[in-house]
Amino acid sequence: MTEPGHPDGGSRIHETAGVPGTTAETVHTGSGRNRGRGGPVDSMTGRPVLTLRELSVDFPTPQGVVQAVRKLSLDVRLGRRVGFVGESGSGKTTTALAIMRMLADPGHVSGGTIDLGGVDMLKLSEEDMRLARLSRVAYIPQGAMNSLNPVMRVEQQLWDAISAHEGRRNRKELMRRSDEALDSVGLHPRTGRLHPHELSGGMKQRVCIALGMILRPELIIADEPTSALDVVTQRQVMQTLREAQALAGSGLILIGHDMGLMAQSVDELAVLRQGELVEYGDIRRILGNPGHPYTRALISSVPLVGGKSFLRPSSAREAPGSRRPAPLLTFDRVSKVYGKLTALHPLSFTLRGDVPKIISIVGQSGSGKSTLGSIVLGFTHPTAGAVRFEGRDLRRAGAAGKLGFRRDVQAVLQDPYACFNPFYRVRHALAYPYRRFGLARDEAHIRQRMEEVCRTVGLDPDLVLPRYPHQLSGGQRQRLIVARALMLSPKLLVADEPVSMVDASLRATILSNIYDLKDRFGISILYITHDLATAYHVSDYVMVLYRGRVVEAGPPGQVIGNPEHPYTRLLVDSIPWPDPDRPWGGSAGPEPAADHAHVADAPFAYRGSVEGFELVTR
Amino acid sequence: MSRAAPRDRRRDRREPPATDASDQEPVDIPRKAARLRIPPGYLVNRLLTLLLTIWIAATLIWIIPRLSPVDPADIMLGRMAAGAGAVQDADRILDQLRESFGLNDPLIVQYVKYLRNIVLFDFGLSTATFPTKVSALIARALPWTLGLMVLSLLITFFIGNLLGALMVWSHSPKLVRIAIPAAMVFTSIPPILSGLLLMWIFAAKLQWFPLAGAYGLTVEPGWDWAFAASVLHHGFLPALSIVIVTFGFWALGMRGMMITVQGEDYVRLAEAKGLRPRTVLYGYMIRNAILPQITAFALKIGLLVAGQVLVERIFAYNGMGKLLYDAILDQDFPVIQGVSYVIILMTALAVFLVDLAYPLIDPRIRHGSDG
């Protein structure tokens, strides 16, 4: 990679074509069986389905032209999977949209060519381009949670796609094809009769894959298809996508920022940075011997269970060891029932808070971990049992007690984009609660405090304070939320998936910020996540939640490093490792699934305790 | 709604094993018929709300005029005096009038009688056009208003929403995108002025349309073509003046919703599916953007009668608006009460029907028995 801006696509073809891959065989069978067009199959193996040459995309703005993609050249061949990896703003999605010719105004292709199976995509008429979408190149957009029209049944959304390309078809044929498509992604055909809101996130994502495959396109572009899913569902969806792609023999572009996921999913990797291709080649070569410092940084940003800690060694003084008259937080047989569903089974624990601790609560979506966090924050009232904060039952607390509780317990929530009122500058967002709680002495005091907390989370106060939230990046916003919580000097911080929507390279920084709060300010933290690798590094104690029950609890080295309960093992095995040779899914055997009897019936595994936190086991 | 999903999860265990084992996501497939059935509990709940709304509103209508120091019997006497020059035995007649209107009864008796009467649509006698029954006046005016107002409301709703959508749609012709905001200027004109303007141009100058009335004096009311043509001919200008003035309300509301919907992932996926731009516009964008507009539509049905009083007045159109206008001028309380009651009834019924129908147009909404 001597010339990062001008990678030699041609020579790379030879380099990677020589690598024997299992997918090559799949292309043979897949093409022969399923492909109507494309001519003699054998001679077509490895034919580039997509060729990008010197592709540039510009976004003219009042401040000048932003070059979102700069002279990008690469090939995607039939049956091969190519990963686009990079941070937000690196041009991954822009490239995909340029191929689809769906760039948002005022973005446009300012140079280069996009060749799909011998057709110059940039020269197609609007109507021809429309017909090429889905039938030749399918795009599965980011955020599949909202990718389906909420007022149409799932199958109708498959039908209109078929009709738009092939003209009217009779209902029987449409039905047969939509059922087949859903079946191919592991969904029962009856799923098609449902409306999108009746489907879980994983199912919606599968529907999107079924949709992408239904006309058997030559190229599929999947834009962060699993970013909103938990690890177990992520692995299942990725397997579905791989199987469907292998069956159709199409080329696949997988866009993402998680090196672990890439390692487990693609054959070739394209590393993008600020619109430029900095490295491109076989995934094994790149992971084994990354040529560019940026690639190395991306790889090392993946936190590994048992690996080197991404946390800075704590330079702070010893945690303030204040004696508390009453434990900070006590759960006394707290449970939550919604209708017939028990979101949280009776749970009792005591967090003393004398010595601050980080307690991680891990589990899949729907395991009850967010319900638990919401109960701690006082947003959800338990159906039974009592939550005591510093010895006081929250429900019996008076107005002053509740106000004090609101100040002492702060939250960092998942979505950094939705957490700020867009009408106010950051300055206001930070100062307002400080004033309201009567902590401010005068304006200079507020100013000083704001600058202090901004520096604590590594932001330049002069840069961020006068801005509006939309002028900041997701990572900056999430750090500001930590700063806002810190303004009030809370005693307990509830962090519910604080980094799941942030670029992988920023996760470590933000988690370090949160981690520092413990030692520097003596704040105890409840870290709610489905990401076991980060929980492994930051926490003092881990509780694994499965269907509203704690199934395993103990120090992270025990619980995550060497899981005993089959459910914890399933979670740990579902983590994609940045090592293509390490099987994804862990130990061989039948497909692991969370509803297998051996998971559901396994006994609670107690793996030890930690000072300052007691879990009451029955 | 959020509670419905976990409940479904429970029933999932009985799902056929045909579902892929690796997919632990539960599916409960409701039968279509079951979805459309309205649970009795919900229906009762909605009906009670409907009755409660009507009762509270009817009570308010009854209380408010009684707070006024004006005595309707006085007014009638004054009117008689104005007509005849002088009235003998004024005190006795006043007393008789009070008696015949039941004004001498204790308030609670008056109130109970009133409630019983409005259930039977009996609002008593008009004081201005004594002794015509208020119900007869309303029955005469209501069809005209319903015809004119509902028709113009439907046209406005259709045009306004379509134009609002086209303002946002990226495939709209440039001309459309420039012309619509310009047309919005009309929205800021008060309906009286636009009505007068239309009358001046099309009725007075061009003489294409008649100046006043709901149908021609020469045609006999009946179910024949001549009468229908006359009604349409007479109704055109009032309807047009309403449409011109009110379409902006719908267009702006629709525009706001369309901008939101335009950024939705499902619209982007629809485009990526290679659907025709029109399919995306109607099936994906408008179909979702229109949902809050439909609720607004139900509310407007009732408000229109009150809102277009002046339009009916200008065009001398014998509808509810004109009836209300005249009644206010004459301080004809029974008629005011009757018209207000009908307006409330229409609004409440429209909201009730939309409540029941909403799950049909938005599958995410389900009839919950807790309302």
Side-chain angles (χ1 to χ4, degrees), chain A residues 130 133-134 141 143 146-147 149-151 157 160 165 186 190 194-195 197-198 200 203 211 236 341 591 594, chain B residues 6 13 15 20 22 24-25 27 29-30 265-266 268-269 271-276 283-284 287-288 363-364:
Chain A
R130 176 182 78 73
R133 290 186 190 128
L134 193 68
N146 296 318
S147 282
N149 187 348
V151 297
Q157 305 190 40
D160 70 1
H165 292 277
R190 277 200 294 170
L194 296 178
H195 283 95
H197 71 275
E198 295 166 285
S200 70
M203 292 168 81
L211 180 63
Q236 290 165 348
L341 179 95
E591 172 85 347
Chain B
R13 298 217 169 145
E15 276 303 299
D20 181 42
S22 73
Q24 331 119 36
E25 316 288 357
V27 207
I29 321 277
D265 294 328
Y266 55 79
R268 167 153 287 196
L269 181 63
E271 199 187 337
K273 284 201 297 192
L275 298 186
R276 285 176 190 86
Y284 286 73
R287 179 68 179 78
N288 281 286
R364 282 165 297 181

Side-chain angles (χ1 to χ4, degrees), chain A residues 64-384:
Chain A
V65 176
V66 176
Q67 289 182 294
V69 178
R70 299 177 209 189
K71 303 208 168 180
L72 181 74
S73 301
L74 55 78
D75 298 300
V76 180
R77 283 182 304 282
L78 273 178
R80 299 289 278 182
R81 299 185 287 265
V82 177
F84 280 21
V85 73
E87 288 171 54
S88 332
S90 60
K92 312 173 298 238
T93 299
T94 308
T95 307
L97 291 177
I99 298 166
M100 296 299 291
R101 273 186 41 196
M102 280 170 53
L103 285 168
D105 276 339
H108 62 270
V109 174
S110 57
T113 55
I114 302 170
D115 181 292
L116 184 75
V119 179
D120 185 345
M121 299 298 269
L122 296 172
K123 294 216 171 76
L124 287 182
S125 70
E126 273 297 318
E127 178 65 8
D128 287 340
M129 188 60 225
R130 176 182 78 73
L131 290 169
R133 290 186 190 128
L134 193 68
S135 70
R136 301 198 53 211
V137 50
Y139 177 63
I140 303 172
Q142 211 167 345
M145 302 306 281
N146 296 318
S147 282
L148 298 170
N149 187 348
V151 297
M152 278 167 85
R153 277 186 277 125
V154 167
E155 59 189 0
Q156 286 173 316
Q157 305 190 40
L158 298 171
W159 298 344
D160 70 1
I162 299 172
S163 307
H165 292 277
E166 301 176 2
R168 289 222 173 276
R169 285 282 181 275
N170 69 48
R171 203 184 155 84
K172 219 174 205 166
E173 187 197 333
L174 288 173
M175 198 96 132
R176 179 181 58 73
R177 287 174 68 177
S178 67
D179 288 356
E180 269 175 25
L182 291 172
D183 188 55
S184 74
V185 294
L187 291 174
H188 194 279
R190 277 200 294 170
T191 314
R193 257 121 268 172
L194 296 178
H195 283 95
H197 71 275
E198 295 166 285
L199 270 54
S200 70
M203 292 168 81
K204 281 186 219 180
Q205 192 61 66
R206 281 164 197 239
V207 170
C208 288
I209 295 171
L211 180 63
M213 295 292 183
I214 201 161
L215 299 178
R216 302 218 173 270
E218 294 141 80
L219 178 66
I220 300 151
I221 306 172
D223 193 350
E224 306 211 10
T226 58
S227 60
L229 307 176
D230 62 59
V231 273
V232 177
T233 318
Q234 164 173 282
R235 193 175 52 81
Q236 290 165 348
V237 166
M238 279 314 299
Q239 275 174 352
T240 305
L241 180 61
R242 287 174 54 163
E243 279 160 19
Q245 175 257 350
L247 188 72
S250 330
L252 173 74
I253 293 176
L254 179 71
I255 297 173
H257 57 240
D258 181 348
M259 273 294 191
L261 183 64
M262 288 296 164
Q264 296 297 341
S265 314
V266 302
D267 307 312
E268 287 155 56
L269 193 66
V271 183
L272 283 93
R273 182 179 177 224
Q274 289 168 9
E276 283 182 23
L277 188 66
V278 297
E279 190 153 3
Y280 173 46
D282 183 71
I283 181 84
R284 284 162 204 275
R285 187 194 61 73
I286 289 185
L287 285 173
N289 182 22
H292 195 277
Y294 181 68
T295 315
R296 280 199 288 276
L298 279 179
I299 295 170
S300 64
S301 74
V302 181
L304 299 178
V305 172
K308 196 161 65 77
S309 174
F310 56 85
L311 299 166
R312 282 171 266 146
S314 184
S315 58
R317 59 199 151 85
E318 261 307 284
S322 59
R323 287 298 304 172
R324 286 173 192 281
L328 187 65
L329 182 72
T330 310
F331 262 46
D332 187 3
R333 296 195 62 72
V334 172
S335 64
K336 182 71 197 175
V337 178
Y338 290 107
K340 284 180 196 156
L341 179 95
T342 307
L344 189 65
H345 289 275
L347 174 68
S348 304
F349 65 78
T350 305
L351 175 62
R352 286 225 42 101
D354 298 340
V355 180
K357 292 285 174 223
I358 297 183
I359 313 298
S360 288
I361 294 155
V362 298
Q364 277 178 272
S365 320
S367 61
K369 58 189 196 311
S370 285
T371 305
L372 176 61
S374 180
I375 290 173
V376 173
L377 286 167
F379 296 150
T380 305
H381 291 296
T383 311

